[in-house]
Amino acid sequence: CGIPPGESFTYVLETGDQSGTFWIHGHTRHQEVDGLHTPLIIHSRKQPVIDYDEELIMTFEDWFTTEFAVRQAYIDSLEDIRTLTSNFPKALINGYDGNKTAPITFVPGKRYRLRVISMSVNNWFKFRIPGHKMTIIEADGVESMPLEVDGLILGPGQRYSAIVTAHDSAQFNYIYNVTSYSQTLFSQGLIPLMYTGLINYRDGAPVKTIPAPSDEHLVWPEETAMQVADKQAPLPVDRQIELTMKKFTHTHHQHQTTLGNTLYKPVLVPTLYTALSMGDLATNSSVYGPQTNAYVLKHLDVVDVVINNPELEDHTFHFHGHNVQVIETGPYGNLSTENREPVAHKVSGPWPMWRDTIQVHGFEYIRVRFRADNPGVWFLHCHLAWHEYNGVAVVFVEAPGVQQQRQSVPKEMVEMCKRQGIPTQGNGAGNQGFDLSGLPPAVYPSS
């Protein structure tokens, strides 16, 4: 349950041995779109993969001129979604209008850890510093083996740490480049947007001109190219779940996309409360309501998840509660009608990278893997806010029996839910057994 207006709630996070680059954001009413987000950095007690002298945080975010609820009401009111007036967002860099961000200071000879965070909900960002190489040492809070690249590509929600070594001389300053782009309806010919900022070695120094090769001649990070620092081999599989995005026209030519069997929609009883209150029935996915796209996972099973994307548009997907091993990517769907290069089959090396937010490119599939060792109720959703709003998501109900034995919801949270009229017991409809009367009908692709 969300925190009601005028109230407060204290979250206590046990980080354990977790460290890295994260961001906090609200999920109620898509408030993360309207700016309810901030970086969260957890410093490790261990020696870093590569030593550095100083660290800098860089944040990228898209910024609309109207609130999400206003834009969505406008979209929902259209008789024909194809008449949508472009509303492509601008970009903020470190919280400022892209080209007005303060310079980044480099001291000659110093080694910097750049913690780069996409707090975006619609746009992808490319970031590079011409004349400087980057060495990736972390993705989404997981340390990686060093990987040298020319720049970073971040989908919505993704994060990297990259080591950049400053030049030995302060003779020149340099320009960094940020490109913001998207494939959604909001784009409509308004992309890409280009931003620049100053890498300041010395006040007043001339800016060195660096030839700009095309992106095709530069090295960018790929999901399968990275290797995890702790050299963990692929996990053996106990169960496979295959999720295929299905696009269909629902109403007023509005194209909807499902990830599971239906469009995800919140039900009357939060799924966590159903898992904790339904006893043995909590292991049956039906009690959560078809709108939740719930998958019940056995404790400690290794789950192999395949996400198929048969459409042109790219997506990023965020796994709550887990990092996942990126096992492979490859072609999926029919490319014959699109002017695109053939999709290659790419398999990770012997130590696949772990991360919590993955890119699924158009006409591709991705295979990821995790162990169900974190009992709870975990959301898997597209990180494009418009898609999440429309239900491109599923829920993993992990080890409900273990949850009932080990976990309880703080009394303050239960009372907070009750004050908002949100029930905290029963199946998805607040009833017993499989009686789901009171829920709105689920929306299936055949609708």
Side-chain angles (χ1 to χ4, degrees):
C1 305
I3 303 171
E7 297 191 22
S8 64
F9 185 81
T10 300
Y11 292 92
V12 178
L13 305 178
E14 298 290 343
T15 59
D17 59 358
Q18 190 174 29
S19 64
T21 307
F22 303 91
W23 63 300
I24 301 171
H25 52 280
H27 263 287
T28 301
R29 297 186 179 92
H30 301 278
Q31 292 159 341
E32 78 277 17
V33 182
D34 297 327
L36 186 60
H37 51 238
T38 188
L40 172 66
I41 308 302
I42 304 175
H43 292 280
S44 177
R45 298 181 179 90
K46 300 185 300 182
Q47 190 76 6
V49 175
I50 296 177
D51 283 330
Y52 54 90
D53 300 300
E54 189 176 337
E55 65 178 50
L56 303 170
I57 298 173
M58 289 201 70
T59 61
F60 303 137
E61 54 191 296
D62 35 29
W63 187 255
F64 292 89
T65 56
T66 55
E67 291 185 353
F68 180 84
V70 175
R71 294 196 313 278
Q72 195 58 52
Y74 158 66
I75 293 171
D76 290 343
S77 72
L78 295 174
E79 288 296 321
D80 189 336
I81 190 66
R82 294 169 293 185
T83 65
L84 174 69
T85 301
S86 297
N87 187 9
F88 187 69
K90 304 299 183 183
L92 301 183
I93 300 173
N94 289 345
Y96 290 89
D97 184 7
N99 290 319
K100 298 179 181 178
T101 304
I104 297 171
T105 299
F106 273 14
V107 174
K110 273 195 171 184
R111 186 180 287 166
Y112 293 89
R113 177 178 185 162
L114 299 185
R115 295 184 183 267
V116 186
I117 305 172
S118 170
M119 300 192 298
S120 169
V121 296
N122 185 80
N123 293 16
W124 268 250
F125 286 89
K126 288 184 179 179
F127 169 59
R128 59 185 300 261
I129 309 175
H132 300 72
K133 288 286 189 180
M134 299 180 179
T135 302
I136 296 174
I137 61 169
E138 177 223 344
D140 299 350
V142 180
E143 289 188 336
S144 71
M145 298 179 70
L147 177 67
E148 186 174 270
V149 295
D150 293 305
L152 303 175
I153 298 177
L154 297 97
Q158 292 190 308
R159 296 91 63 204
Y160 286 102
S161 281
I163 300 296
V164 178
T165 301
H167 295 300
D168 291 331
S169 169
Q171 181 180 2
F172 296 104
N173 291 331
Y174 293 80
I175 295 295
Y176 69 76
N177 299 323
V178 176
T179 304
S180 176
Y181 64 99
S182 176
Q183 300 164 322
T184 65
L185 280 169
F186 303 120
S187 311
Q188 298 201 356
L190 300 178
I191 57 171
L193 299 178
M194 315 293 291
Y195 299 91
T196 59
L198 184 67
I199 302 294
N200 191 60
Y201 278 80
R202 176 171 57 86
D203 291 345
V207 173
K208 186 168 186 178
T209 301
I210 306 291
S214 63
D215 286 356
E216 292 76 16
H217 295 96
L218 298 172
V219 178
W220 305 91
E222 294 183 352
E223 304 284 359
T224 54
M226 300 181 65
Q227 299 281 280
V228 73
D230 66 5
K231 297 184 178 181
Q232 187 172 175
L235 299 173
V237 176
D238 297 305
R239 178 183 179 183
Q240 185 180 88
I241 296 174
E242 186 168 3
L243 303 171
T244 300
M245 285 178 270
K246 305 181 184 74
K247 183 171 284 190
F248 66 103
T249 302
H250 181 36
T251 56
H252 306 313
H253 299 284
Q254 294 207 24
H255 297 293
Q256 306 278 22
T257 302
T258 64
L259 179 61
N261 297 319
T262 70
L263 296 178
Y264 172 86
K265 297 295 178 185
V267 288
L268 299 181
V269 177
T271 302
L272 175 62
Y273 289 123
T274 296
L276 291 173
S277 66
M278 288 298 289
D280 292 342
L281 286 182
T283 60
N284 190 315
S285 61
S286 298
V287 301
Y288 302 101
Q291 298 87 346
T292 63
N293 282 321
Y295 290 83
V296 179
L297 307 180
K298 294 181 179 179
H299 190 41
L300 300 181
D301 266 6
V302 173
V303 185
D304 189 82
V305 180
V306 177
I307 301 177
N308 299 317
N309 181 8
E311 305 292 339
L312 174 65
E313 189 174 2
D314 295 345
H315 300 257
T316 60
F317 283 93
H318 179 211
F319 285 77
H320 287 222
H322 284 282
N323 295 315
V324 296
Q325 273 185 319
V326 180
I327 302 299
E328 65 179 11
T329 63
Y332 186 86
N334 183 8
L335 280 169
S336 61
T337 59
E338 303 293 339
N339 184 22
R340 286 179 59 135
E341 295 293 324
V343 175
H345 179 229
K346 299 177 181 179
V347 180
S348 293
W351 306 299
M353 188 58 194
W354 291 75
R355 61 187 314 167
D356 62 30
T357 306
I358 57 173
Q359 297 192 42
V360 187
H361 299 291
F363 301 110
E364 287 191 13
Y365 75 88
I366 189 167
R367 181 186 303 277
V368 298
R369 203 167 288 173
F370 68 94
R371 187 181 299 279
D373 57 3
N374 189 18
V377 173
W378 306 116
F379 207 32
L380 164 59
H381 65 95
C382 181
H383 226 298
L384 278 69
W386 190 48
H387 293 172
E388 183 190 342
Y389 168 86
N390 281 304
V392 186
V394 301
V395 171
F396 293 129
V397 181
E398 185 173 329
V402 178
Q403 289 183 56
Q404 293 168 15
Q405 294 172 9
R406 299 181 184 176
Q407 299 177 1
S408 62
V409 177
K411 180 182 178 181
E412 295 83 1
M413 175 66 78
V414 175
E415 292 301 318
M416 194 163 64
C417 294
K418 289 181 178 179
R419 288 196 296 275
Q420 299 175 74
I422 299 173
T424 58
Q425 289 190 337
N427 62 25
N431 302 322
Q432 293 302 307
F434 299 103
D435 175 14
L436 296 173
S437 58
L439 290 182
V443 179
Y444 294 90
S446 58
S447 299

